[in-house]
Amino acid sequence: MNHAIELSVLSPMASVESMLEAFGAVQQNGFATLTVPPFWVKKLHRDWPESTQAILSTVIGYPLGYQRTETKQTETECALNDGAREIQVVMNTSAWFSNSNGWPKVEFAKLAKLIHQREAIFTVIIETDFFDEPSLIRALKTAADAGADYVQNTTGFFQKSFDLEKALRFKQLTPARVGCKVWAESATNEDFTKLLEHGAERLCLPFRS
């Protein structure tokens, strides 16, 4: 199961000590990914073992995705230059639920090109609680068509309790050509097993020191 676990250290109170503790936990337990704020990517990359299979990841547009596309592009370039091997981009729901709802696909396509040119992984995070099912289906297709490698069902920023039924439904709606990540804070080991059995590729958890 450890190979499917992603740790995130995105709390506004997270210190450099927290980053280093999480880094150690990823290495010791064989977790898949460590996601940190862009500010910390360069420092962690300096100590990242070349032999490890774990991925150093960061978030762009966290937590609400409101930034201009040009800003996200610049932040993405900086993160890639600093050593990030995965970029997780928060969808701009404000644009989606407006007359500009075609813009997220353009934004995703621009970022996908930039990220894939550097042979990094592109994840789109969609705050699914804001979407009814037809809109979520369209959003997932938009991310997939634009070149996302993974979609994720929430940033975890709003700290709602884990709902296995909703998580499984998200996986069911995810296009087959895109990997599925589920924010699994407060999920049980039984929940983890069911998610993996139903095809979720990654289980995302906040790091607790």
Side-chain angles (χ1 to χ4, degrees):
M1 185 180 295
N2 284 7
H3 69 281
I5 299 293
E6 296 194 1
L7 286 188
S8 293
V9 193
L10 299 175
S11 165
M13 298 297 291
S15 64
V16 64
E17 289 79 15
S18 298
M19 305 294 161
L20 294 175
E21 284 183 48
F23 172 73
V26 167
Q27 302 303 313
Q28 293 167 16
N29 294 287
F31 294 149
T33 304
L34 176 62
T35 302
V36 300
F39 181 81
W40 293 112
V41 170
K42 189 172 186 178
K43 178 175 179 57
L44 288 175
H45 180 253
R46 285 199 296 263
D47 297 324
W48 203 262
E50 292 185 5
S51 60
T52 186
Q53 295 185 356
I55 295 168
L56 178 58
S57 174
T58 194
V59 285
I60 301 298
Y62 184 87
L64 300 173
Y66 287 164
Q67 293 84 346
R68 288 169 56 98
T69 298
E70 294 85 354
T71 301
K72 289 180 177 178
Q73 287 175 298
T74 299
E75 290 185 347
T76 295
E77 289 175 351
C78 289
L80 292 168
N81 289 338
D82 285 345
R85 303 312 308 147
E86 178 177 353
I87 304 295
Q88 302 184 12
V89 177
V90 181
M91 182 179 192
N92 185 343
T93 53
S94 182
W96 179 265
F97 294 115
S98 72
N99 292 331
S100 300
N101 62 8
W103 186 250
K105 183 174 183 178
V106 175
E107 179 173 281
F108 293 157
K110 289 183 176 183
L111 294 171
K113 181 178 180 181
L114 176 60
I115 294 164
H116 290 154
Q117 282 177 340
R118 301 289 292 273
E119 298 183 347
I121 298 167
F122 176 33
T123 294
V124 170
I125 303 177
I126 302 172
E127 286 291 354
T128 53
D129 282 343
F130 300 149
F131 291 72
D132 59 23
E133 189 162 298
S135 186
L136 178 57
I137 291 170
R138 291 195 302 273
L140 289 167
K141 184 177 185 303
T142 294
D145 289 348
D149 299 300
Y150 289 94
V151 290
Q152 183 174 315
N153 64 332
T154 178
T155 61
F157 180 78
F158 297 98
Q159 298 183 338
K160 293 188 177 180
S161 59
F162 178 76
D163 187 318
L164 179 61
E165 183 177 345
K166 285 185 177 180
L168 292 174
R169 185 58 177 163
F170 178 76
K171 168 54 188 172
Q172 186 178 16
L173 296 176
T174 297
R177 63 188 182 278
V178 184
C180 177
K181 298 186 180 190
V182 172
W183 185 261
E185 182 177 7
S186 77
T188 65
N189 287 336
E190 183 180 353
D191 293 333
F192 291 166
T193 299
K194 287 182 179 179
L195 287 166
L196 294 174
E197 286 176 348
H198 284 79
E201 284 86 1
R202 293 285 187 269
L203 307 176
C204 307
L205 300 169
F207 175 72
R208 305 295 188 196
S209 59

